[in-house]
Amino acid sequence: MKTEYNYSDILLQPKHSVLSSRHEADTKVEFGGRTFNLPVYPANMKTIVDENLCIWLAENNYFYTMHRFGTDCYTFLETMKSKELFSSISIGVNENSYDDVQLLNDCKLYPDYVTIDIAHGDCQKMKEMIAYCKKMLPNVFVIAGNVCTNQSVANLALWGADAVKVGIGPGSVCTTKLKTGFSRPQFSAVLDCANFSNVPIIADGGIEHNGDIAKALVAGATMVMAGG
């Protein structure tokens, strides 16, 4: 068994800097054909984001993903389109999510980003939902997850995912590792998945301090999701 690491186990070594101020640092990131001000965005949880926050983030050029719990994605998309803002929604893999995708297709109301968000992303239902989204929602950028191994990332990318969310059990409110026994130290998970991935990696979970964001980016993440 090899040694694996959480963010708290890792320290970064500084190198020579040519910046006279930290304000000179360019923190912009290209993601899904758009450039955003920061490589960080809030977790798509009902207790973290709502429509008003998503609107503010989009207006100020930050990425977001609207949660899927009790959300009318049709009305949310209409709102974002009417404000000429990019749209980013979440769905699951159950029948209700298929109905939502069908409705959006019927109404020609296409989101820019769709996050297919389930606890164990490397499964047949995920494969089927990715294919369905790609078929029904033209030009959509599909984010799929969650997984924690490079083989799972490879599977999701093969199925058509444009980005993959990495993190099984590292979140402070996540009970997965306690109830199922499945998890992986997050720094090692991101490092492993990013090293063997040809799609962007989103480090999801385990962020306790600002420095953990830097560690996730050093490990190879393109974006970092934080709930706290």
Side-chain angles (χ1 to χ4, degrees), residues 49-214:
V49 295
D50 58 17
E51 182 175 304
N52 290 333
L53 179 57
C54 291
I55 290 172
W56 185 92
L57 290 167
E59 287 176 339
N60 289 275
N61 201 39
Y62 297 104
F63 188 64
Y64 74 89
T65 297
M66 182 60 176
H67 68 80
R68 63 183 174 90
F69 304 103
T71 300
D72 181 349
C73 62
Y74 176 85
T75 302
F76 177 75
L77 271 180
E78 275 197 324
T79 299
M80 301 307 281
K81 297 291 186 183
S82 69
K83 294 179 178 292
E84 298 183 347
L85 300 172
F86 77 92
S87 53
S88 178
I89 64 172
S90 302
I91 61 173
V93 294
N94 57 19
E95 288 303 318
N96 290 339
S97 293
Y98 277 92
D99 292 341
D100 288 340
V101 173
Q102 180 68 60
L103 174 62
L104 296 179
N105 174 266
D106 291 343
C107 299
K108 301 295 188 287
L109 191 61
Y110 302 126
D112 299 301
Y113 299 82
V114 168
T115 295
I116 308 173
D117 189 30
I118 59 177
H120 178 40
D122 189 359
C123 65
Q124 185 65 24
K125 284 189 173 183
M126 174 64 79
K127 180 179 181 180
E128 293 168 358
M129 181 54 87
I130 292 174
Y132 192 70
C133 286
K134 288 292 186 177
K135 175 183 176 183
M136 303 296 283
L137 305 175
N139 304 316
V140 69
F141 187 91
V142 172
I143 302 167
N146 279 28
V147 298
C148 66
T149 68
N150 59 52
Q151 182 58 61
S152 291
V153 171
N155 287 343
L156 269 61
L158 180 65
W159 300 339
D162 300 296
V164 175
K165 218 146 52 77
V166 170
I168 299 287
S172 61
V173 299
C174 182
T175 61
T176 298
K177 63 185 174 184
L178 300 177
K179 295 196 173 196
T180 72
F182 288 93
S183 188
R184 187 179 186 184
Q186 184 68 343
F187 182 87
S188 292
V190 174
L191 183 68
D192 182 32
C193 291
N195 280 342
F196 293 92
S197 175
N198 59 353
V199 298
I201 294 299
I202 301 167
D204 177 14
I207 302 297
E208 297 181 357
H209 307 282
N210 290 351
D212 295 337
I213 296 171

